[in-house]
Amino acid sequence: MFRRVYLDNSATTPVDKEVFEAMLPFLTEKFGNASSIHFFGQEARAAIDKARHQVAELINARPNEIVFTSGGTEANNLAIRGLIEANEKYGKHIITSEIEHSAVREVCLDLEKRGWEVTFLPVYDDGIVKIEDVKNAVREDTILISIMTANNEIGTIQPVEEIGRFVRELKENGKKIWFHTDAVQAVGKIPVDAEEIGCDLLSISAHKIYAPKGVGALYVRRGVRLHKQNIGGHQERERRGGTENVPYIAAFGKACELAKENLAGDAARLAELRNKFENEVGEKISDLVFNGKRERRLPNISNISFRFIEGEGLLINLDMQGIAVSTGSACSSGSLEPSPVIRSLGRDDELARGAIRFSLGKENTAEDVEYLLEILPKAIENLRKLSPTYSKQATK
Ligand SMILES: *Cc1c(COP(=O)(O)O)cnc(C)c1O
């Protein structure tokens, strides 16, 4: 039988069976609009309240600090646009990094065109923002720092707690400044504690943690003012208009509860699988570079650049053998531009184009990794034989 191995869990994950079960009643018999006064409405309202507690619990927030959105992209838009529009009078400078997800990067690029100034901090060859750079970038007119908790392509964990501490100190000295972190990849993989990070805003997406696509949340610390982006309804305490997606919100809540329960066990198991994979790949395949500081990554991501290889070619070759991986982020694949994240590491063109992300999920097994270890070296050898640069260096 043809084997399929899904190693693209950072792009999306399957819906967990328990999550699916938790969602079903709200599609059929419990279908009310949560804004309605009657029984049906109250039933839907109760489901949203429950989910709000479950989401809050996972990130150590209060339920009334959770705003449900249509996903991570909307959470990032609401965080950044909402914050700067509400606080324009304090300044028009934003600090972010060169390796943010497009849902932060492109919002910042758009704001640059509309009169805001943005500093994109480098990450050097280890893929990590340096706290000193953050400190040096702050100006009189800086109102927002947006740095992700962990990167979606290489998995590097950013110094968000240090940034949070620094921002708090600035606030204590009377500065008007806020801190947003895109925690979409980190949540459910490593402990994410909004209080410990000390951020004002934090984005989450449901479909990266075994719930459906199209739902997510923004954590908004109590007292932080946002300018509403979705106007036309009074839902989410005036912060996000639109009838709530009750079934998906209920599913998201359940997924957060499961993530909290299983986090430590899943993380340890996936790290072990990932490390076994990396150790053996390093032995079996020559001319490769691991991307992102290996000791400071999410447990489930491995990003490797293979010399003399086009990442896209390898992806297609692996797909023909049932293995699903990605080059760069899903959002930039389809174009042959090398990933901006890998470029930010200072990799040459060849290495940037030869990068592949393997991202494990809770359904992956040791057999999956063994299959990958059997297929990958052969696939690379075959592709390298076709590469003019490879044969040239081999005959040297
Ligand atoms: C997937 C992802 C997003 C976008 O979330 P959606 O729910 O797909 O809109 C944002 N940031 C990061 C880091 C992501 O991995």
Side-chain angles (χ1 to χ4, degrees):
M1 221 183 83
F2 190 67
R3 195 183 169 101
R4 284 216 185 266
V5 175
Y6 183 75
L7 296 171
D8 202 11
N9 289 276
S10 292
T12 197
T13 55
V15 173
D16 183 284
K17 299 278 182 302
E18 277 186 71
V19 168
F20 180 67
E21 295 294 332
M23 172 178 90
L24 285 181
F26 301 100
L27 289 167
T28 50
E29 69 266 28
K30 301 184 180 185
F31 60 86
N33 182 325
S35 299
S36 302
I37 307 290
H38 50 61
F39 173 81
F40 295 87
Q42 293 315 301
E43 210 171 37
R45 170 61 49 207
I48 295 176
D49 287 345
K50 181 178 173 193
R52 207 184 296 285
H53 275 86
Q54 289 165 315
V55 176
E57 185 96 328
L58 178 62
I59 59 164
N60 189 26
R62 300 175 189 198
N64 63 13
E65 292 173 317
I66 302 298
V67 177
F68 287 113
T69 67
S70 66
T73 300
E74 189 194 327
N76 285 341
N77 271 268
L78 176 59
I80 298 172
R81 291 181 196 276
L83 190 284
I84 59 150
E85 286 175 15
N87 296 288
E88 215 176 322
K89 62 174 182 284
Y90 300 116
K92 296 188 88 173
H93 179 238
I94 301 166
I95 298 169
T96 186
S97 83
E98 282 181 1
I99 60 165
E100 296 301 310
H101 186 273
S102 51
V104 166
R105 187 178 59 244
E106 288 181 22
V107 171
C108 288
L109 291 173
D110 178 60
L111 291 171
E112 258 186 337
K113 280 190 226 137
R114 300 198 285 122
W116 274 270
E117 280 184 65
V118 184
T119 300
F120 292 88
L121 298 176
V123 295
Y124 308 94
D125 63 350
D126 62 0
I128 296 171
V129 169
K130 304 298 173 281
I131 182 71
E132 284 312 313
D133 287 346
V134 176
K135 291 182 178 175
N136 292 333
V138 170
R139 320 190 309 208
E140 197 67 43
D141 60 345
T142 307
I143 55 168
L144 177 65
I145 299 176
S146 179
I147 305 280
M148 68 201 324
T149 311
N151 181 262
N152 47 298
E153 289 187 42
I154 57 177
T156 45
I157 298 166
Q158 304 302 320
V160 285
E161 277 149 28
E162 278 116 299
I163 298 170
R165 212 172 304 134
F166 168 61
V167 169
R168 259 185 313 221
E169 281 165 22
L170 292 177
K171 284 181 183 178
E172 280 158 19
N173 292 322
K175 181 155 179 57
K176 296 291 186 187
I177 187 166
W178 291 267
F179 175 31
H180 165 246
T181 187
D182 174 349
V184 170
Q185 287 291 335
V187 163
K189 310 296 184 319
I190 55 172
V192 172
D193 181 321
E195 287 300 325
E196 224 159 82
I197 295 172
C199 54
D200 299 293
L201 301 155
L202 181 147
S203 306
I204 321 177
S205 175
H207 74 98
K208 308 280 172 80
I209 59 165
Y210 310 98
K213 295 155 189 68
V215 62
L218 180 66
Y219 157 85
V220 184
R221 177 180 295 283
R222 54 203 170 276
V224 172
R225 283 184 47 243
L226 288 186
H227 190 265
K228 189 163 155 178
Q229 301 296 301
N230 233 39
I231 299 171
H234 305 287
Q235 291 86 355
E236 297 299 283
R237 301 167 77 232
E238 295 291 345
R239 289 174 297 192
R240 200 265 186 178
T243 302
E244 301 89 340
N245 188 341
V246 184
Y248 281 21
I249 288 172
F252 182 26
K254 185 68 186 177
C256 287
E257 184 192 308
L258 293 176
K260 192 176 163 73
E261 263 171 48
N262 302 331
L263 193 138
D266 282 350
R269 195 179 69 82
L270 295 183
E272 200 181 316
L273 283 182
R274 192 269 314 268
N275 295 343
K276 176 188 154 65
F277 164 66
E278 289 192 338
N279 291 338
E280 292 197 21
V281 151
E283 284 167 19
K284 289 186 174 175
I285 301 170
S286 65
D287 299 295
L288 54 75
V289 177
F290 292 99
N291 294 314
K293 189 178 172 116
R294 288 177 80 176
E295 306 75 34
R296 244 188 100 88
R297 286 179 301 165
L298 296 176
N300 66 315
I301 293 185
S302 178
N303 189 304
I304 308 177
S305 289
F306 301 97
R307 275 204 190 280
F308 317 110
I309 292 270
E310 285 281 349
E312 303 277 328
L314 180 56
L315 182 153
I316 291 163
N317 190 298
L318 291 175
D319 187 42
M320 289 192 299
Q321 304 185 73
I323 298 174
V325 298
S326 87
T327 62
S329 69
C331 317
S332 60
S333 59
S335 74
L336 275 168
E337 276 301 294
S339 147
V341 173
I342 307 298
R343 271 196 180 285
S344 297
L345 303 175
R347 303 279 185 257
D348 61 41
D349 237 45
E350 187 190 23
L351 285 176
R353 286 180 194 283
I356 290 281
R357 178 185 69 188
F358 306 88
S359 53
L360 297 159
K362 65 179 182 181
E363 302 202 339
N364 288 124
T365 60
E367 289 75 53
D368 291 344
V369 171
E370 269 157 37
Y371 184 62
L372 174 65
L373 283 166
E374 178 194 323
I375 301 297
L376 183 66
K378 283 187 235 154
I380 287 181
E381 200 186 306
N382 290 337
L383 287 170
R384 281 182 174 168
K385 276 187 201 145
L386 302 173
S387 152
T389 46
Y390 184 67
S391 40
K392 218 178 280 163
Q393 75 105 46
T395 54
K396 251 194 258 168

